[in-house]
Amino acid sequence: MLKNKVGSLLLLLVAVCLAGCSSVMRPPPAAAYMDSYAKDGAIGSLGLSYYAGDLENGKHENKSYSHYSYAEWWGDVNLAGYISGGYFTFGMGYQTFSPFMQMGFVSPYFGLTAWSDMNALAIPAIKSSERGALWRYSGGGMAIEQIPLNDSWKIGFTEHLSRNGREVYFVDEDCYSIGCGFPSPRHRFYTEVGGGFYVSRKIGNESKVSLEFRYGRDLDEDRNRFALTVDIWTSTGGSLGGNDVMRSMAKKNLKKMREVDAAYADSLRDENGKIDSLHTIKRQWFRIPDASKTMSLAEHPSDSVTAVTSKGICYDEGSGSVWLQQDYGFTVFKVPVDSFDYCQQMKREILFWPSLLVGGASFLPGGMATNSTMGGLAVALGVAVAYWTVTNFVLDPEDLVPKVYPELCSEKHSREEVLAWLEQYPCRVDKQPKDAAK
């Protein structure tokens, strides 16, 4: 359940962050990057950072025609996704309004990483005799040492050298044009050297959380800054996994194709190109006895239950078998009706708390974008209502990413009940799948 909430939150916050772009960054969290090593799927990370120390705050200038106010942001929202292939990891994400990319070496005990904002890289560098050719860019590098304490806990240490950016507000309250009086972010860059440590803990089968503290010394203005970051991440599925893992999975899948009675869905099309034998249904869970006899991703909600999902089905009464379409693909495979069962419909999840979580996470970027607490609350409320509306009336999260409940498929139906249920999805006699792959 946590995996799906985090995934939905990441997707929504990425859309929020796309509303504006910046080219300033501070060092990203380290623990999720290190945990990407040897993962079958991609890592999706959500981090919240709080900054303290010698921030540039409370500076005001009064002139005869205007008023200027400066305030360095005290927080960031960090969204990132990492894909690992062997000892190499590549990542992309957003730090509040700054798109960035990250890559480097990763292992269970040691890592090296570098990052750079992509917004600045996408814009040709404008040379300045005073600032130099890289005056728009922010990025850096970090060394990470990690010590696993046990299966759940890890600690790590970081050392970084970076060119950080910070957003400083500029307000002209006394002008008379449209947009006056609203905060306008301005880029300030500085060179920082520092280090820190983190503690991470496993909080589910695929999710983890870390608390990271970092100190940085501003070499340009002799400032001391501190960062406290809470980061939570989870695996987002094998379809975005590492190269080595995906190659091995592809070979395994080809081997299974030779053993499973399967065919391509195109073999069910009539002369007009319409699939009239395979019935399209809302994504449904089905119970099967043997995970090796399916082309779909098999889930194990309990030791005694193996289940798959499908959005296409037809029942061949003559051969006593059921054809199911691969959960995310174009292959159909045969399951004997004697070893098949449909699962009970699950009650839809109450979406109040996920909506509240999504809205709360958008308060920080909303408040910084509007330079107002009330503005941040308004953005958070709007995002929460939008999330609740979309997931209730537009998208069905259960259909997009089916949740694996402990009680999934625990209820068994009699053979008579299964046959009666299957009779509503008959295969046409003259259009049953042919040329099964052997």
Side-chain angles (χ1 to χ4, degrees):
M1 187 175 297
L2 177 61
K3 172 183 175 181
N4 292 281
K5 290 180 180 178
V6 173
S8 299
L9 180 60
L10 289 174
L11 290 175
L12 189 62
L13 287 182
V14 165
V16 173
C17 289
L18 283 172
C21 291
S22 173
S23 58
V24 301
M25 276 197 68
R26 299 173 178 88
Y33 169 81
M34 290 295 290
D35 197 54
S36 65
Y37 169 73
K39 285 291 187 297
D40 290 349
I43 294 294
S45 166
L46 167 64
L48 300 175
S49 297
Y50 171 77
Y51 304 113
D54 300 327
L55 305 183
E56 185 178 6
N57 289 325
K59 183 178 180 180
H60 303 277
E61 294 182 14
N62 292 300
K63 296 186 177 180
S64 59
Y65 55 88
S66 62
H67 168 74
Y68 302 86
S69 176
Y70 301 87
E72 182 177 345
W73 288 1
W74 49 265
D76 271 320
V77 177
N78 196 90
L79 301 170
Y82 299 103
I83 301 174
S84 176
Y87 291 95
F88 176 81
T89 286
F90 176 79
M92 298 176 65
Y94 266 86
Q95 191 174 96
T96 308
F97 298 117
S98 300
F100 72 91
M101 62 180 178
Q102 184 179 357
M103 63 184 66
F105 169 84
V106 65
S107 72
Y109 306 103
F110 179 73
L112 289 171
T113 184
W115 64 90
S116 174
D117 71 279
M118 290 193 295
N119 188 59
L121 292 177
I123 302 175
I126 302 175
K127 294 185 178 181
S128 170
S129 58
E130 297 179 357
R131 300 174 178 177
L134 301 179
W135 70 275
R136 292 186 57 86
Y137 293 74
S138 61
M142 179 184 295
I144 310 169
E145 303 83 35
Q146 183 171 262
I147 304 174
L149 300 179
N150 50 43
D151 292 338
S152 299
W153 291 89
K154 296 178 182 178
I155 61 174
F157 302 90
T158 65
E159 303 83 35
H160 71 271
L161 174 63
S162 59
R163 187 170 190 264
N164 294 358
R166 63 180 187 268
E167 296 280 17
V168 180
Y169 286 120
F170 170 86
V171 180
D172 188 348
E173 297 176 343
D174 299 328
C175 61
Y176 299 96
S177 62
I178 297 176
C180 290
F182 288 90
S184 177
R186 294 292 186 267
H187 300 172
R188 297 283 185 91
F189 296 96
Y190 60 94
T191 302
E192 179 180 279
V193 61
F197 65 90
Y198 64 84
V199 179
S200 67
R201 186 185 189 279
K202 189 175 182 180
I203 56 174
N205 292 332
E206 300 180 10
S207 301
K208 296 182 180 180
V209 64
S210 69
L211 179 65
E212 181 175 350
F213 174 83
R214 185 174 64 247
Y215 162 76
R217 176 66 174 177
D218 183 343
L219 300 180
D220 296 330
E221 300 181 2
D222 296 330
R223 296 176 182 268
N224 297 310
R225 291 181 175 85
F226 306 90
L228 186 65
T229 300
V230 177
D231 194 21
I232 185 170
W233 65 93
T234 187
S235 174
T236 59
S239 61
L240 295 175
N243 296 330
D244 296 340
V245 175
M246 292 304 295
R247 278 194 290 267
S248 63
M249 289 180 63
K251 292 179 180 179
K252 184 178 180 180
N253 195 53
L254 290 174
K255 181 180 179 180
K256 181 181 286 189
M257 279 286 288
R258 301 187 185 99
E259 301 173 352
V260 177
D261 197 355
Y264 289 104
D266 285 345
S267 65
L268 301 178
R269 296 182 184 273
D270 60 15
E271 59 275 7
N272 297 319
K274 179 181 178 182
I275 298 179
D276 59 354
S277 186
L278 196 68
H279 298 268
T280 300
I281 60 174
K282 180 181 178 181
R283 189 173 299 283
Q284 171 82 32
W285 282 101
F286 298 101
R287 179 170 179 161
I288 59 174
D290 188 358
S292 66
K293 300 301 181 182
T294 174
M295 296 307 300
S296 293
L297 179 65
E299 300 284 357
H300 299 274
S302 65
D303 293 338
S304 60
V305 173
T306 301
V308 299
T309 68
S310 179
K311 297 180 72 173
I313 184 174
C314 76
Y315 169 45
D316 181 5
E317 184 177 2
S319 64
S321 57
V322 180
W323 288 90
L324 295 177
Q325 184 173 354
Q326 188 179 9
D327 41 14
Y328 297 100
F330 300 97
T331 302
V332 291
F333 57 94
K334 184 186 292 187
V335 179
V337 70
D338 291 334
S339 59
F340 170 89
D341 195 2
Y342 64 95
C343 300
Q344 69 275 20
Q345 293 292 329
M346 309 305 298
K347 293 182 179 179
R348 188 160 186 169
E349 180 185 357
I350 299 175
L351 298 174
F352 173 77
W353 291 111
S355 301
L356 187 64
L357 177 63
V358 170
S362 62
F363 168 74
L364 178 60
M368 291 189 295
T370 61
N371 196 28
S372 168
T373 301
M374 293 304 298
L377 290 174
V379 171
L381 179 62
V383 170
V385 172
Y387 178 88
W388 184 88
T389 302
V390 169
T391 52
N392 272 281
F393 302 106
V394 181
L395 301 176
D396 185 352
E398 185 75 20
D399 184 56
L400 296 175
V401 184
K403 300 178 179 64
V404 184
Y405 301 89
E407 65 272 22
L408 180 67
C409 296
S410 58
E411 176 184 343
K412 290 186 177 181
H413 299 93
S414 65
R415 176 179 171 82
E416 292 73 19
E417 290 176 322
V418 172
L419 294 178
W421 187 86
L422 287 172
E423 285 177 357
Q424 60 185 320
Y425 305 116
C427 293
R428 276 183 51 179
V429 176
D430 59 335
K431 298 301 294 182
Q432 294 174 15
K434 298 179 180 179
D435 301 325
K438 296 294 184 181

